[in-house]
Amino acid sequence: MSIEALILGKLHKPAERRASSNGRAFVTAKITAAVREGESVFVTAVAFSETAGAALLALAPGDSVALAGALRPGAWIDREGNARASVDLVAAQVMTHYALTKKRKAAAAAAGGDDAAGRGPAPAANRAANHTAGELDGGGDDEWLNGGAR
């Protein structure tokens, strides 16, 4: 069973390029995603698409990232006998702060505006991306993403 999901988190350690036994290339990454105050879960991500893999490989540990794809939840037992969550995600799309800034610049240029820093009101063509990835750059006007602040 898998669920289509959007995961927001930070890259835990550098992504790695690998190859399967049949020679198919893919990229793996560990993402730390917050689940509750002070608690987080590791998400093991694998990207088979070249663009998603390249985006993961370009990140450094601690960089913010949003991954969309097929999520498979699971569980494991630690040494003390406690049940722990495991989360695997096949990443179909990867959005980073860098890609969001680039997308905003392109949209601003197309609209004739000057948003070189990637800040300010988002052009109409980019409002959906701003809302979805607002947490990545502190932007957006979503009450939930901004910790209840308006």
Side-chain angles (χ1 to χ4, degrees), residues 19-149:
S20 65
S21 58
N22 67 0
R24 184 175 182 192
F26 62 95
V27 174
T28 61
K30 281 268 193 214
I31 309 299
T32 308
V35 290
R36 287 187 203 109
E37 226 176 276
E39 291 184 43
S40 61
V41 65
F42 283 109
V43 178
T44 303
V46 61
F48 293 104
S49 95
E50 196 172 308
T51 54
L56 287 171
L57 289 168
L59 296 173
D63 284 349
S64 295
V65 64
L67 304 170
L71 180 135
R72 187 174 49 210
W76 58 281
I77 306 295
D78 68 13
R79 292 181 187 156
E80 289 80 39
N82 299 317
R84 302 284 184 186
S86 70
V87 180
D88 298 326
L89 182 91
V90 177
Q93 295 180 346
V94 175
M95 177 64 79
T96 66
H97 180 271
Y98 311 108
L100 180 63
T101 300
K102 183 178 176 181
K103 196 175 215 180
R104 284 184 177 165
K105 285 180 185 178
D114 183 19
D115 188 19
R119 292 188 285 275
N126 195 35
R127 285 203 175 105
N130 183 32
H131 181 74
T132 303
E135 183 177 22
L136 297 177
D137 67 351
D141 59 358
D142 192 312
E143 183 176 329
W144 183 79
L145 290 176
N146 292 325

Side-chain angles (χ1 to χ4, degrees), residues 1-4 70-74 88:
M1 172 185 85
S2 66
I3 303 164
E4 284 297 311
L71 180 135
R72 187 174 49 210
D88 298 326

